[in-house]
Structures are given as structure tokens and as C-alpha cells.
Amino acid sequence: MLSLNQVSKHYDNKKMRRGKPVKAVHEVSFELQPNEIFALIGESGSGKSTLAEMIVGLQKPTSGSIIRSEPSASIQMVFQNPDRSMNPYWRIKDIIAEPLILSKRKKQAALEQVSQLAEKVKLPLDILDRYPTECSGGQKQRIAIARALTMSPKLLVADEITSALDPSIEAEIMQLLLSLKDAEGMSILYITHRIETISRFADRVAVMRNGEIEALGGTNEVLFHSSSAYTKALMYACSYEDNSRDTSSSE
Ligand SMILES: Nc1ncnc2c1ncn2[C@@H]1O[C@H](COP(=O)(O)OP(=O)(O)OP(=O)(O)O)[C@@H](O)[C@H]1O
Ligand SMILES: [Mg+2]
């Protein structure tokens, strides 16, 4: 549904005195398939968000091309920090309805659709009359997902959307994304640093390192059978975390 061909984003950093060019993303090529969950992992600064922003059109590649098989199909993004994309003085129903109103839908019809979307993302309906500060972090991400769904996206890009949530809420949001993928017939590009969560979630995974793709393939194949030392180190770092969690809980 979308193919990246040698996509790069380089920053020349001329303004900085000792600035060297930064190859935030360098010659990345892969295809996103319809109806798949594609996870993007890699250490901080490896270029994941830059790549995501180019895919949704928030940034332009410095070279290479991104070709969409259905140019009119909507691509929507959900961010790590929901507060930055929500007006604190608006009620939740108006926040979710905003894209519909902007696309000239009648207010009454838009609000009816909002209730349906709230059900889709399993938000209690009484939340709709509240303000963002009166919602939990998990609820705010459901609200952001509902707002993204107003545009019936063919691709949802989720950049660390569960990173600020505790693991049980994270698992619920991932479960929701799995069910929405099939119900809505969309693909999901899911960026996370919690690698331990994706093995039964993502269909495929790409590992980024210094702006390049280090490994790409079926999730279990990449996570457990990759020849890449970097990927193994990432896996070791997260299994180490798991071990430490196990020890502390048995105390
Ligand atoms: N506007 C910019 N100007 C210069 N360099 C930038 C700019 N934006 C990002 N970078 C650099 O590009 C690289 C990739 O950044 P990016 O935010 O894509 O990483 P990331 O993988 O999303 O990291 P994280 O896991 O911390 O979110 C980093 O070295 C970053 O410092
Ligand atoms: Mg990022």
C-alpha cells in the first residue's frame, strides 16, 4: 500500500558551529502491506520518528521517494504525548469531532459519529462530555485513536503511543489496535522501544540503527533468529529487563 524507495532525511546543521550533517534516515527502502502491523524498533535517535513523519507527510525526504498505491487513502498519526494534540478547553466529543467538522460534516451528524467511534475504541460514553484533564493517559490515547479513525485511515502510524502507560494499559491498547486492524481493514506502523511487547502483536518488524534498516522480516524471525548483533543486543537488553522484573516480584 506504500513503498519507500531509498528514502533519506539529512540535516546539514550549518547553523551550528561544530555541526556535522546528521543522517537521521539514510536510504531506507521497504514496503508496507495492506492490513499488516509493522513494528519499527531501534535505539533512541536511530531515526524512527523522522521516518514516521515522512510517511505521514509531516516532513519531506531530502532524497528518495514514498509512493502510495492509493494516493487518496488517508494516513493518520497518533503521538506519544496526547496532551500536545488536544485543546484542554474543549470537551472530548468536540476533540474527536474536529476532523469531521473541518471536513464540512454537519455538527449533529458529526456528534452521532463520535458516539460510534467512542464505542469502537471502547471509551465509556460519559467521557465524551469531559475535558482532557479529566481523563486517564490510556483514555486519552483511545480518544486520539478515535479521532484518527474519523478519517477512515488505511494506515495508522503510532509513535510510542503506549510508552507513557503502565504495562496492563499498554496491553489493552495493543489489543484494541489488533481488533481495529481487522475491523477497519487498515495497516498499522507501530513504533516502540518495548520490544518485549511485539512478538505476538506485529506481523513484521524492522530494526533501525543510525538511520538505516539493520534487519527486517517476520517478527519472530527477526527477534529470535536474526544474525544482526545489534538486534541481539536490543533483545538482550529487554530480556534483561524482564529478568530483573521477575526477580523483584519473587522477593
Ligand atoms: N530538526 C532536526 N535537526 C537536526 N537533527 C535532527 C532533527 N530532528 C531529528 N534530528 C536527529 O535525527 C536523528 C533521529 O531522530 P529521531 O527523532 O527520528 O529518532 P528516534 O529513533 O525517533 O528516537 P527516540 O526513540 O528517542 O524517539 C537524531 O540524531 C536526532 O538528533
Ligand atoms: Mg522518536
Side-chain angles (χ1 to χ4, degrees):
M1 61 162 306
L2 186 137
S3 70
L4 295 99
N5 310 300
Q6 304 281 327
V7 171
S8 298
K9 181 78 187 182
H10 296 175
Y11 294 104
D12 61 10
N13 281 347
K14 269 186 207 133
K15 280 168 268 171
M16 287 181 231
R17 239 180 301 154
R18 276 174 296 155
K20 275 192 294 176
V22 175
K23 295 181 176 177
V25 172
H26 188 64
E27 295 184 353
V28 165
S29 300
F30 63 83
E31 277 184 28
L32 288 176
Q33 305 298 335
N35 216 43
E36 76 167 337
I37 297 188
F38 188 96
L40 195 54
I41 63 175
E43 66 191 335
S44 180
S46 56
K48 306 180 296 295
S49 296
T50 306
L51 186 61
E53 285 168 12
M54 290 192 286
I55 288 172
V56 299
L58 290 171
Q59 295 218 50
K60 274 210 173 110
T62 37
S63 62
S65 60
I66 299 175
I67 293 165
R68 293 157 65 168
S69 57
E70 272 180 82
S72 60
S74 164
I75 298 180
Q76 294 291 316
M77 186 159 181
V78 178
F79 298 89
Q80 176 170 5
N81 183 347
D83 293 316
R84 289 174 62 179
S85 58
M86 283 179 197
N87 186 326
Y89 304 107
W90 284 16
R91 291 183 197 275
I92 301 306
K93 59 184 175 197
D94 296 317
I95 290 174
I96 299 176
E98 188 185 15
L100 294 168
I101 309 263
L102 287 175
S103 60
K104 304 261 174 357
R105 200 74 51 88
K106 289 257 163 34
K107 180 105 192 219
Q108 193 50 42
L111 290 177
E112 266 165 38
Q113 203 179 332
V114 166
S115 308
Q116 291 165 5
L117 288 162
E119 267 168 46
K120 258 187 198 170
V121 301
K122 302 191 173 59
L123 270 175
L125 290 179
D126 62 294
I127 293 260
L128 295 177
D129 283 312
R130 295 193 203 164
Y131 294 94
T133 50
E134 299 165 336
C135 302
S136 70
Q139 286 167 341
K140 280 189 256 192
Q141 287 305 37
R142 287 176 195 268
I143 293 162
I145 293 167
R147 184 174 50 187
L149 294 183
T150 56
M151 297 286 98
S152 310
K154 282 285 161 211
L155 173 64
L156 186 74
V157 176
D159 189 356
E160 301 270 12
I161 68 169
T162 56
S163 300
L165 306 175
D166 64 59
S168 66
I169 307 295
E170 173 173 53
E172 284 176 22
I173 297 278
M174 293 175 84
Q175 200 52 51
L176 172 69
L177 291 176
L178 267 178
S179 63
L180 287 174
K181 178 197 79 150
D182 290 326
E184 304 290 303
M186 63 182 180
S187 303
I188 300 175
L189 176 66
Y190 187 83
I191 300 177
T192 185
H193 64 265
R194 296 231 267 258
I195 308 173
E196 67 273 24
T197 62
I198 62 170
S199 76
R200 276 185 299 269
F201 174 69
D203 301 300
R204 292 194 298 153
V205 59
V207 183
M208 281 193 85
R209 178 191 193 187
N210 296 332
E212 299 186 45
I213 300 289
E214 167 91 10
L216 189 154
T219 304
N220 289 341
E221 179 191 318
V222 169
L223 295 187
F224 304 112
H225 306 288
S226 173
S227 57
S228 142
Y230 176 74
T231 307
K232 282 184 192 156
L234 285 176
M235 282 304 286
Y236 179 76
C238 78
S239 57
Y240 177 77
E241 232 177 53
D242 268 357
N243 293 341
S244 61
R245 222 178 274 147
D246 287 345
T247 347
S248 59
S249 62
S250 63
E251 273 168 8

